[in-house]
mmCIF file of all heavy atoms in Angstrom:
data_model
loop_
_atom_site.group_PDB
_atom_site.id
_atom_site.type_symbol
_atom_site.label_atom_id
_atom_site.label_comp_id
_atom_site.label_asym_id
_atom_site.label_seq_id
_atom_site.Cartn_x
_atom_site.Cartn_y
_atom_site.Cartn_z
ATOM 1 N N ILE A 132 10.501 -70.534 16.742
ATOM 2 C CA ILE A 132 9.348 -71.406 16.933
ATOM 3 C C ILE A 132 9.548 -72.708 16.145
ATOM 4 O O ILE A 132 9.257 -73.812 16.633
ATOM 5 C CB ILE A 132 8.047 -70.687 16.517
ATOM 6 C CG1 ILE A 132 7.726 -69.603 17.525
ATOM 7 C CG2 ILE A 132 6.885 -71.661 16.393
ATOM 8 C CD1 ILE A 132 6.549 -68.733 17.167
ATOM 9 N N LYS A 133 10.068 -72.557 14.909
ATOM 10 C CA LYS A 133 10.329 -73.743 14.081
ATOM 11 C C LYS A 133 11.324 -74.656 14.778
ATOM 12 O O LYS A 133 11.127 -75.868 14.855
ATOM 13 C CB LYS A 133 10.838 -73.304 12.706
ATOM 14 C CG LYS A 133 11.007 -74.431 11.743
ATOM 15 C CD LYS A 133 11.486 -73.875 10.404
ATOM 16 C CE LYS A 133 11.734 -74.996 9.420
ATOM 17 N NZ LYS A 133 12.257 -74.505 8.160
ATOM 18 N N ARG A 134 12.399 -74.101 15.311
ATOM 19 C CA ARG A 134 13.397 -74.891 16.020
ATOM 20 C C ARG A 134 12.784 -75.547 17.258
ATOM 21 O O ARG A 134 13.046 -76.717 17.566
ATOM 22 C CB ARG A 134 14.585 -74.027 16.443
ATOM 23 C CG ARG A 134 15.608 -73.912 15.362
ATOM 24 C CD ARG A 134 16.883 -73.230 15.873
ATOM 25 N NE ARG A 134 17.131 -72.155 14.925
ATOM 26 C CZ ARG A 134 17.426 -70.919 15.211
ATOM 27 N NH1 ARG A 134 17.554 -70.545 16.453
ATOM 28 N NH2 ARG A 134 17.621 -70.037 14.284
ATOM 29 N N LEU A 135 11.951 -74.762 17.953
ATOM 30 C CA LEU A 135 11.313 -75.287 19.156
ATOM 31 C C LEU A 135 10.385 -76.453 18.794
ATOM 32 O O LEU A 135 10.397 -77.515 19.441
ATOM 33 C CB LEU A 135 10.539 -74.175 19.852
ATOM 34 C CG LEU A 135 9.952 -74.494 21.215
ATOM 35 C CD1 LEU A 135 11.051 -74.794 22.228
ATOM 36 C CD2 LEU A 135 9.089 -73.348 21.690
ATOM 37 N N ILE A 136 9.592 -76.253 17.721
ATOM 38 C CA ILE A 136 8.678 -77.307 17.275
ATOM 39 C C ILE A 136 9.475 -78.532 16.837
ATOM 40 O O ILE A 136 9.139 -79.669 17.196
ATOM 41 C CB ILE A 136 7.759 -76.797 16.154
ATOM 42 C CG1 ILE A 136 6.771 -75.777 16.716
ATOM 43 C CG2 ILE A 136 7.013 -77.946 15.483
ATOM 44 C CD1 ILE A 136 5.907 -75.084 15.685
ATOM 45 N N GLU A 137 10.545 -78.305 16.059
ATOM 46 C CA GLU A 137 11.376 -79.427 15.599
ATOM 47 C C GLU A 137 11.998 -80.143 16.799
ATOM 48 O O GLU A 137 12.051 -81.378 16.852
ATOM 49 C CB GLU A 137 12.466 -78.932 14.646
ATOM 50 C CG GLU A 137 11.930 -78.570 13.294
ATOM 51 C CD GLU A 137 13.014 -77.941 12.397
ATOM 52 O OE1 GLU A 137 14.154 -77.683 12.870
ATOM 53 O OE2 GLU A 137 12.699 -77.671 11.224
ATOM 54 N N SER A 138 12.416 -79.339 17.771
ATOM 55 C CA SER A 138 13.015 -79.928 18.965
ATOM 56 C C SER A 138 11.981 -80.759 19.705
ATOM 57 O O SER A 138 12.270 -81.890 20.155
ATOM 58 C CB SER A 138 13.576 -78.822 19.829
ATOM 59 O OG SER A 138 13.688 -79.205 21.145
ATOM 60 N N HIS A 139 10.751 -80.272 19.831
ATOM 61 C CA HIS A 139 9.692 -80.998 20.513
ATOM 62 C C HIS A 139 9.315 -82.256 19.707
ATOM 63 O O HIS A 139 9.035 -83.314 20.294
ATOM 64 C CB HIS A 139 8.470 -80.106 20.737
ATOM 65 C CG HIS A 139 8.643 -79.157 21.873
ATOM 66 N ND1 HIS A 139 8.598 -79.552 23.194
ATOM 67 C CD2 HIS A 139 8.875 -77.817 21.904
ATOM 68 C CE1 HIS A 139 8.790 -78.510 23.971
ATOM 69 N NE2 HIS A 139 8.969 -77.437 23.195
ATOM 70 N N LEU A 140 9.318 -82.091 18.366
ATOM 71 C CA LEU A 140 9.019 -83.262 17.536
ATOM 72 C C LEU A 140 10.074 -84.345 17.754
ATOM 73 O O LEU A 140 9.761 -85.532 17.861
ATOM 74 C CB LEU A 140 8.946 -82.874 16.060
ATOM 75 C CG LEU A 140 7.638 -82.234 15.614
ATOM 76 C CD1 LEU A 140 7.754 -81.777 14.152
ATOM 77 C CD2 LEU A 140 6.471 -83.196 15.745
ATOM 78 N N ARG A 141 11.309 -83.948 17.788
ATOM 79 C CA ARG A 141 12.384 -84.916 18.020
ATOM 80 C C ARG A 141 12.219 -85.568 19.393
ATOM 81 O O ARG A 141 12.398 -86.770 19.551
ATOM 82 C CB ARG A 141 13.753 -84.247 17.920
ATOM 83 C CG ARG A 141 14.244 -84.234 16.511
ATOM 84 C CD ARG A 141 15.657 -83.694 16.430
ATOM 85 N NE ARG A 141 15.478 -82.327 15.941
ATOM 86 C CZ ARG A 141 16.162 -81.279 16.292
ATOM 87 N NH1 ARG A 141 17.145 -81.383 17.122
ATOM 88 N NH2 ARG A 141 15.903 -80.105 15.828
ATOM 89 N N MET A 142 11.836 -84.765 20.357
ATOM 90 C CA MET A 142 11.621 -85.309 21.683
ATOM 91 C C MET A 142 10.463 -86.310 21.657
ATOM 92 O O MET A 142 10.524 -87.374 22.280
ATOM 93 C CB MET A 142 11.308 -84.197 22.679
ATOM 94 C CG MET A 142 12.499 -83.472 23.179
ATOM 95 S SD MET A 142 12.000 -82.714 24.687
ATOM 96 C CE MET A 142 12.315 -81.079 24.579
ATOM 97 N N LEU A 143 9.396 -85.905 20.941
ATOM 98 C CA LEU A 143 8.244 -86.798 20.836
ATOM 99 C C LEU A 143 8.658 -88.101 20.130
ATOM 100 O O LEU A 143 8.256 -89.200 20.548
ATOM 101 C CB LEU A 143 7.091 -86.123 20.094
ATOM 102 C CG LEU A 143 6.332 -85.075 20.878
ATOM 103 C CD1 LEU A 143 5.321 -84.365 19.963
ATOM 104 C CD2 LEU A 143 5.606 -85.657 22.067
ATOM 105 N N GLU A 144 9.417 -87.980 19.073
ATOM 106 C CA GLU A 144 9.883 -89.177 18.368
ATOM 107 C C GLU A 144 10.796 -90.003 19.266
ATOM 108 O O GLU A 144 10.704 -91.233 19.295
ATOM 109 C CB GLU A 144 10.621 -88.776 17.079
ATOM 110 C CG GLU A 144 9.704 -88.352 15.984
ATOM 111 C CD GLU A 144 10.483 -87.898 14.747
ATOM 112 O OE1 GLU A 144 11.687 -88.203 14.599
ATOM 113 O OE2 GLU A 144 9.851 -87.201 13.933
ATOM 114 N N PHE A 145 11.645 -89.302 19.973
ATOM 115 C CA PHE A 145 12.541 -90.007 20.883
ATOM 116 C C PHE A 145 11.720 -90.733 21.947
ATOM 117 O O PHE A 145 11.974 -91.896 22.270
ATOM 118 C CB PHE A 145 13.527 -89.033 21.508
ATOM 119 C CG PHE A 145 14.469 -89.646 22.456
ATOM 120 C CD1 PHE A 145 15.519 -90.469 22.013
ATOM 121 C CD2 PHE A 145 14.330 -89.478 23.837
ATOM 122 C CE1 PHE A 145 16.387 -91.040 22.908
ATOM 123 C CE2 PHE A 145 15.202 -90.067 24.718
ATOM 124 C CZ PHE A 145 16.245 -90.846 24.254
ATOM 125 N N ASP A 146 10.683 -90.050 22.484
ATOM 126 C CA ASP A 146 9.813 -90.661 23.494
ATOM 127 C C ASP A 146 9.073 -91.845 22.873
ATOM 128 O O ASP A 146 8.887 -92.886 23.522
ATOM 129 C CB ASP A 146 8.786 -89.662 24.026
ATOM 130 C CG ASP A 146 9.346 -88.793 25.131
ATOM 131 O OD1 ASP A 146 10.422 -89.112 25.649
ATOM 132 O OD2 ASP A 146 8.696 -87.766 25.467
ATOM 133 N N LYS A 147 8.632 -91.680 21.627
ATOM 134 C CA LYS A 147 7.925 -92.738 20.938
ATOM 135 C C LYS A 147 8.843 -93.950 20.759
ATOM 136 O O LYS A 147 8.438 -95.084 20.982
ATOM 137 C CB LYS A 147 7.471 -92.229 19.572
ATOM 138 C CG LYS A 147 6.248 -92.873 19.061
ATOM 139 C CD LYS A 147 6.028 -92.336 17.683
ATOM 140 C CE LYS A 147 4.617 -92.097 17.352
ATOM 141 N NZ LYS A 147 4.399 -91.682 16.007
#
Side-chain angles (χ1 to χ4, degrees):
I132 289 174
K133 186 179 177 183
R134 274 189 232 133
L135 187 64
I136 291 174
E137 286 174 354
S138 157
H139 282 286
L140 280 175
R141 273 186 257 143
M142 279 201 235
L143 285 173
E144 284 177 17
F145 179 72
D146 276 347
K147 209 185 218 185

